Tab-separated table of all heavy atoms in Angstrom:
chain	number	residue	atom	x	y	z
A	211	LYS	N	11.035	-19.528	-0.160
A	211	LYS	CA	10.549	-20.769	0.439
A	211	LYS	C	11.716	-21.481	1.125
A	211	LYS	O	12.704	-21.838	0.473
A	211	LYS	CB	9.947	-21.668	-0.628
A	211	LYS	CG	8.720	-21.088	-1.315
A	211	LYS	CD	8.234	-22.006	-2.418
A	211	LYS	CE	7.017	-21.430	-3.116
A	211	LYS	NZ	6.529	-22.304	-4.215
A	212	THR	N	11.612	-21.666	2.433
A	212	THR	CA	12.673	-22.354	3.169
A	212	THR	C	12.058	-23.530	3.936
A	212	THR	O	11.192	-24.215	3.410
A	212	THR	CB	13.415	-21.385	4.095
A	212	THR	OG1	12.465	-20.662	4.898
A	212	THR	CG2	14.227	-20.378	3.285
A	213	LEU	N	12.467	-23.751	5.172
A	213	LEU	CA	12.076	-24.983	5.859
A	213	LEU	C	10.693	-24.935	6.491
A	213	LEU	O	9.972	-25.923	6.470
A	213	LEU	CB	13.110	-25.319	6.941
A	213	LEU	CG	14.570	-25.434	6.466
A	213	LEU	CD1	15.467	-25.809	7.628
A	213	LEU	CD2	14.694	-26.437	5.332
A	214	HIS	N	10.312	-23.805	7.068
A	214	HIS	CA	9.083	-23.778	7.841
A	214	HIS	C	7.853	-23.423	7.016
A	214	HIS	O	6.736	-23.501	7.507
A	214	HIS	CB	9.215	-22.772	9.000
A	214	HIS	CG	9.137	-21.343	8.569
A	214	HIS	ND1	10.236	-20.683	8.058
A	214	HIS	CD2	8.105	-20.459	8.536
A	214	HIS	CE1	9.889	-19.445	7.758
A	214	HIS	NE2	8.610	-19.284	8.027
A	215	ASP	N	8.043	-23.009	5.778
A	215	ASP	CA	6.885	-22.605	4.974
A	215	ASP	C	6.748	-23.507	3.754
A	215	ASP	O	6.968	-24.706	3.841
A	215	ASP	CB	6.977	-21.127	4.582
A	215	ASP	CG	8.346	-20.767	4.000
A	215	ASP	OD1	9.013	-21.667	3.465
A	215	ASP	OD2	8.741	-19.596	4.088
A	216	ASP	N	6.409	-22.951	2.622
A	216	ASP	CA	6.135	-23.770	1.440
A	216	ASP	C	7.344	-24.548	0.940
A	216	ASP	O	7.200	-25.463	0.127
A	216	ASP	CB	5.602	-22.890	0.304
A	216	ASP	CG	4.211	-22.360	0.616
A	216	ASP	OD1	3.587	-22.886	1.545
A	216	ASP	OD2	3.769	-21.417	-0.068
A	217	GLY	N	8.525	-24.176	1.394
A	217	GLY	CA	9.712	-24.891	0.940
A	217	GLY	C	9.752	-26.337	1.377
A	217	GLY	O	10.451	-27.166	0.782
A	218	CYS	N	8.995	-26.686	2.408
A	218	CYS	CA	8.975	-28.049	2.924
A	218	CYS	C	7.778	-28.856	2.445
A	218	CYS	O	7.669	-30.034	2.757
A	218	CYS	CB	8.969	-28.026	4.454
A	218	CYS	SG	10.623	-28.015	5.184
A	219	TYR	N	6.861	-28.225	1.759
A	219	TYR	CA	5.652	-28.923	1.351
A	219	TYR	C	5.813	-29.476	-0.065
A	219	TYR	O	6.660	-29.036	-0.834
A	219	TYR	CB	4.442	-27.987	1.411
A	219	TYR	CG	4.240	-27.375	2.774
A	219	TYR	CD1	3.669	-26.117	2.909
A	219	TYR	CD2	4.633	-28.043	3.917
A	219	TYR	CE1	3.479	-25.555	4.158
A	219	TYR	CE2	4.449	-27.492	5.171
A	219	TYR	CZ	3.876	-26.239	5.290
A	219	TYR	OH	3.693	-25.684	6.517
A	220	GLY	N	4.992	-30.445	-0.404
A	220	GLY	CA	5.045	-30.997	-1.748
A	220	GLY	C	6.090	-32.092	-1.880
A	220	GLY	O	6.494	-32.738	-0.914
A	221	GLU	N	6.568	-32.279	-3.095
A	221	GLU	CA	7.530	-33.335	-3.386
A	221	GLU	C	8.910	-33.020	-2.817
A	221	GLU	O	9.285	-31.855	-2.675
A	221	GLU	CB	7.632	-33.536	-4.896
A	221	GLU	CG	6.330	-33.938	-5.562
A	221	GLU	CD	5.856	-35.313	-5.121
A	221	GLU	OE1	6.737	-36.154	-4.787
A	221	GLU	OE2	4.635	-35.549	-5.098
A	222	ARG	N	9.669	-34.079	-2.522
A	222	ARG	CA	11.021	-33.903	-1.980
A	222	ARG	C	11.895	-33.114	-2.944
A	222	ARG	O	12.696	-32.272	-2.536
A	222	ARG	CB	11.645	-35.267	-1.692
A	222	ARG	CG	13.080	-35.187	-1.163
A	222	ARG	CD	13.689	-36.557	-0.995
A	222	ARG	NE	15.029	-36.464	-0.434
A	222	ARG	CZ	16.118	-36.204	-1.137
A	222	ARG	NH1	16.013	-35.989	-2.465
A	222	ARG	NH2	17.301	-36.147	-0.559
A	223	GLU	N	11.759	-33.391	-4.238
A	223	GLU	CA	12.576	-32.702	-5.229
A	223	GLU	C	12.331	-31.193	-5.195
A	223	GLU	O	13.256	-30.398	-5.399
A	223	GLU	CB	12.280	-33.243	-6.634
A	223	GLU	CG	12.773	-34.649	-6.894
A	223	GLU	CD	11.899	-35.716	-6.226
A	223	GLU	OE1	10.781	-35.353	-5.758
A	223	GLU	OE2	12.324	-36.875	-6.154
A	224	GLN	N	11.084	-30.805	-4.921
A	224	GLN	CA	10.778	-29.388	-4.846
A	224	GLN	C	11.410	-28.760	-3.621
A	224	GLN	O	11.905	-27.636	-3.662
A	224	GLN	CB	9.259	-29.169	-4.807
A	224	GLN	CG	8.843	-27.713	-4.871
A	224	GLN	CD	9.302	-27.034	-6.146
A	224	GLN	OE1	9.102	-27.562	-7.241
A	224	GLN	NE2	9.945	-25.870	-6.016
A	225	CYS	N	11.430	-29.500	-2.504
A	225	CYS	CA	12.078	-29.013	-1.283
A	225	CYS	C	13.564	-28.781	-1.540
A	225	CYS	O	14.115	-27.748	-1.166
A	225	CYS	CB	11.893	-30.018	-0.145
A	225	CYS	SG	12.792	-29.602	1.363
A	226	VAL	N	14.219	-29.740	-2.174
A	226	VAL	CA	15.648	-29.604	-2.472
A	226	VAL	C	15.876	-28.391	-3.367
A	226	VAL	O	16.811	-27.609	-3.154
A	226	VAL	CB	16.183	-30.884	-3.147
A	226	VAL	CG1	17.614	-30.678	-3.661
A	226	VAL	CG2	16.147	-32.057	-2.175
A	227	SER	N	15.025	-28.224	-4.371
A	227	SER	CA	15.163	-27.083	-5.279
A	227	SER	C	14.990	-25.764	-4.534
A	227	SER	O	15.757	-24.807	-4.750
A	227	SER	CB	14.131	-27.202	-6.396
A	227	SER	OG	14.180	-26.076	-7.251
A	228	ASP	N	14.003	-25.689	-3.635
A	228	ASP	CA	13.757	-24.447	-2.899
A	228	ASP	C	14.927	-24.106	-1.982
A	228	ASP	O	15.356	-22.948	-1.896
A	228	ASP	CB	12.473	-24.582	-2.066
A	228	ASP	CG	11.220	-24.622	-2.934
A	228	ASP	OD1	11.275	-24.097	-4.062
A	228	ASP	OD2	10.204	-25.173	-2.471
A	229	VAL	N	15.461	-25.118	-1.278
A	229	VAL	CA	16.590	-24.887	-0.373
A	229	VAL	C	17.818	-24.450	-1.159
A	229	VAL	O	18.524	-23.504	-0.775
A	229	VAL	CB	16.884	-26.146	0.463
A	229	VAL	CG1	18.200	-25.983	1.233
A	229	VAL	CG2	15.750	-26.427	1.435
A	230	CYS	N	18.078	-25.097	-2.270
A	230	CYS	CA	19.240	-24.735	-3.085
A	230	CYS	C	19.086	-23.344	-3.687
A	230	CYS	O	20.074	-22.606	-3.810
A	230	CYS	CB	19.450	-25.778	-4.180
A	230	CYS	SG	20.111	-27.357	-3.565
A	231	ASP	N	17.867	-22.968	-4.068
A	231	ASP	CA	17.638	-21.621	-4.588
A	231	ASP	C	17.960	-20.574	-3.527
A	231	ASP	O	18.523	-19.512	-3.842
A	231	ASP	CB	16.183	-21.470	-5.035
A	231	ASP	CG	15.907	-22.178	-6.357
A	231	ASP	OD1	16.883	-22.558	-7.039
A	231	ASP	OD2	14.720	-22.355	-6.689
A	232	ALA	N	17.600	-20.865	-2.282
A	232	ALA	CA	17.884	-19.920	-1.199
A	232	ALA	C	19.394	-19.796	-0.973
A	232	ALA	O	19.913	-18.694	-0.771
A	232	ALA	CB	17.197	-20.376	0.084
A	233	TYR	N	20.106	-20.919	-1.010
A	233	TYR	CA	21.566	-20.875	-0.870
A	233	TYR	C	22.197	-20.083	-2.014
A	233	TYR	O	23.092	-19.256	-1.810
A	233	TYR	CB	22.140	-22.299	-0.869
A	233	TYR	CG	22.077	-23.008	0.448
A	233	TYR	CD1	21.563	-24.302	0.552
A	233	TYR	CD2	22.567	-22.410	1.610
A	233	TYR	CE1	21.516	-24.966	1.762
A	233	TYR	CE2	22.525	-23.066	2.821
A	233	TYR	CZ	21.991	-24.342	2.897
A	233	TYR	OH	21.947	-24.987	4.104
A	234	THR	N	21.734	-20.363	-3.222
A	234	THR	CA	22.302	-19.695	-4.399
A	234	THR	C	22.062	-18.194	-4.363
A	234	THR	O	22.949	-17.405	-4.701
A	234	THR	CB	21.686	-20.292	-5.679
A	234	THR	OG1	21.982	-21.691	-5.736
A	234	THR	CG2	22.251	-19.619	-6.911
A	235	GLN	N	20.865	-17.798	-3.939
A	235	GLN	CA	20.544	-16.369	-3.902
A	235	GLN	C	21.451	-15.636	-2.921
A	235	GLN	O	21.974	-14.556	-3.230
A	235	GLN	CB	19.083	-16.174	-3.516
A	235	GLN	CG	18.675	-14.706	-3.426
A	235	GLN	CD	17.201	-14.537	-3.196
A	235	GLN	OE1	16.384	-14.930	-4.023
A	235	GLN	NE2	16.844	-13.944	-2.061
A	236	VAL	N	21.642	-16.193	-1.732
A	236	VAL	CA	22.523	-15.555	-0.750
A	236	VAL	C	23.945	-15.490	-1.281
A	236	VAL	O	24.642	-14.473	-1.130
A	236	VAL	CB	22.469	-16.302	0.598
A	236	VAL	CG1	23.601	-15.840	1.521
A	236	VAL	CG2	21.138	-16.070	1.278
A	237	ALA	N	24.401	-16.572	-1.901
A	237	ALA	CA	25.770	-16.608	-2.416
A	237	ALA	C	26.008	-15.516	-3.454
A	237	ALA	O	27.089	-14.910	-3.498
A	237	ALA	CB	26.057	-17.982	-3.028
A	238	TRP	N	25.007	-15.255	-4.292
A	238	TRP	CA	25.150	-14.211	-5.316
A	238	TRP	C	25.085	-12.812	-4.709
A	238	TRP	O	25.880	-11.941	-5.033
A	238	TRP	CB	24.057	-14.372	-6.369
A	238	TRP	CG	24.099	-13.324	-7.445
A	238	TRP	CD1	23.298	-12.221	-7.554
A	238	TRP	CD2	25.001	-13.261	-8.551
A	238	TRP	NE1	23.635	-11.480	-8.660
A	238	TRP	CE2	24.694	-12.106	-9.299
A	238	TRP	CE3	26.045	-14.080	-8.998
A	238	TRP	CZ2	25.368	-11.736	-10.457
A	238	TRP	CZ3	26.726	-13.719	-10.156
A	238	TRP	CH2	26.396	-12.565	-10.863
A	239	ARG	N	24.152	-12.608	-3.820
A	239	ARG	CA	23.908	-11.269	-3.289
A	239	ARG	C	24.878	-10.861	-2.196
A	239	ARG	O	25.012	-9.665	-1.917
A	239	ARG	CB	22.470	-11.178	-2.765
A	239	ARG	CG	21.424	-11.296	-3.867
A	239	ARG	CD	20.010	-11.211	-3.307
A	239	ARG	NE	19.006	-11.173	-4.367
A	239	ARG	CZ	17.699	-11.031	-4.166
A	239	ARG	NH1	17.234	-10.906	-2.918
A	239	ARG	NH2	16.859	-11.005	-5.178
A	240	MET	N	25.542	-11.803	-1.549
A	240	MET	CA	26.447	-11.432	-0.460
A	240	MET	C	27.728	-10.782	-0.995
A	240	MET	O	28.486	-10.167	-0.233
A	240	MET	CB	26.791	-12.653	0.398
A	240	MET	CG	27.751	-13.641	-0.234
A	240	MET	SD	28.049	-15.036	0.872
A	240	MET	CE	29.379	-15.885	-0.024
A	241	GLN	N	27.996	-10.907	-2.302
A	241	GLN	CA	29.111	-10.213	-2.952
A	241	GLN	C	28.527	-9.043	-3.750
A	241	GLN	O	28.092	-9.206	-4.890
A	241	GLN	CB	29.895	-11.150	-3.859
A	241	GLN	CG	30.654	-12.215	-3.090
A	241	GLN	CD	31.634	-12.977	-3.949
A	241	GLN	OE1	31.382	-14.109	-4.365
A	241	GLN	NE2	32.774	-12.348	-4.230
A	242	PRO	N	28.503	-7.858	-3.168
A	242	PRO	CA	27.781	-6.721	-3.757
A	242	PRO	C	28.183	-6.371	-5.185
A	242	PRO	O	27.358	-5.858	-5.942
A	242	PRO	CB	28.114	-5.579	-2.794
A	242	PRO	CG	28.350	-6.253	-1.488
A	242	PRO	CD	29.048	-7.532	-1.845
A	243	ARG	N	29.425	-6.662	-5.556
A	243	ARG	CA	29.842	-6.329	-6.924
A	243	ARG	C	28.996	-7.074	-7.943
A	243	ARG	O	28.788	-6.585	-9.067
A	243	ARG	CB	31.324	-6.644	-7.129
A	243	ARG	CG	31.866	-6.168	-8.483
A	243	ARG	CD	31.859	-4.644	-8.535
A	243	ARG	NE	32.310	-4.118	-9.825
A	243	ARG	CZ	31.505	-3.724	-10.804
A	243	ARG	NH1	30.184	-3.796	-10.656
A	243	ARG	NH2	31.982	-3.226	-11.921
A	244	ASN	N	28.456	-8.238	-7.560
A	244	ASN	CA	27.595	-8.999	-8.463
A	244	ASN	C	26.321	-8.244	-8.815
A	244	ASN	O	25.739	-8.460	-9.885
A	244	ASN	CB	27.207	-10.343	-7.824
A	244	ASN	CG	28.380	-11.292	-7.687
A	244	ASN	OD1	29.359	-11.199	-8.428
A	244	ASN	ND2	28.288	-12.204	-6.736
A	245	LEU	N	25.882	-7.378	-7.924
A	245	LEU	CA	24.616	-6.673	-8.118
A	245	LEU	C	24.790	-5.352	-8.853
A	245	LEU	O	23.798	-4.692	-9.173
A	245	LEU	CB	23.945	-6.419	-6.767
A	245	LEU	CG	23.699	-7.649	-5.890
A	245	LEU	CD1	23.004	-7.242	-4.593
A	245	LEU	CD2	22.881	-8.695	-6.625
A	246	GLN	N	26.027	-4.955	-9.097
A	246	GLN	CA	26.287	-3.692	-9.787
A	246	GLN	C	26.535	-3.931	-11.274
A	246	GLN	O	27.113	-4.950	-11.667
A	246	GLN	CB	27.519	-3.002	-9.181
A	246	GLN	CG	27.307	-2.533	-7.750
A	246	GLN	CD	28.535	-1.834	-7.212
A	246	GLN	OE1	29.660	-2.275	-7.413
A	246	GLN	NE2	28.317	-0.715	-6.534
Side-chain angles (χ1 to χ4, degrees):
K211 297 177 180 179
T212 51
L213 305 182
H214 75 278
D215 49 26
D216 291 346
C218 271
Y219 303 150
E221 300 294 330
R222 178 184 183 278
E223 290 76 12
Q224 186 61 49
C225 174
V226 171
S227 177
D228 290 335
V229 171
C230 287
D231 285 347
Y233 278 130
T234 300
Q235 179 174 297
V236 168
W238 179 258
R239 294 180 174 184
M240 74 181 188
Q241 292 191 258
R243 187 67 182 98
N244 292 335
L245 304 181
Q246 293 181 317

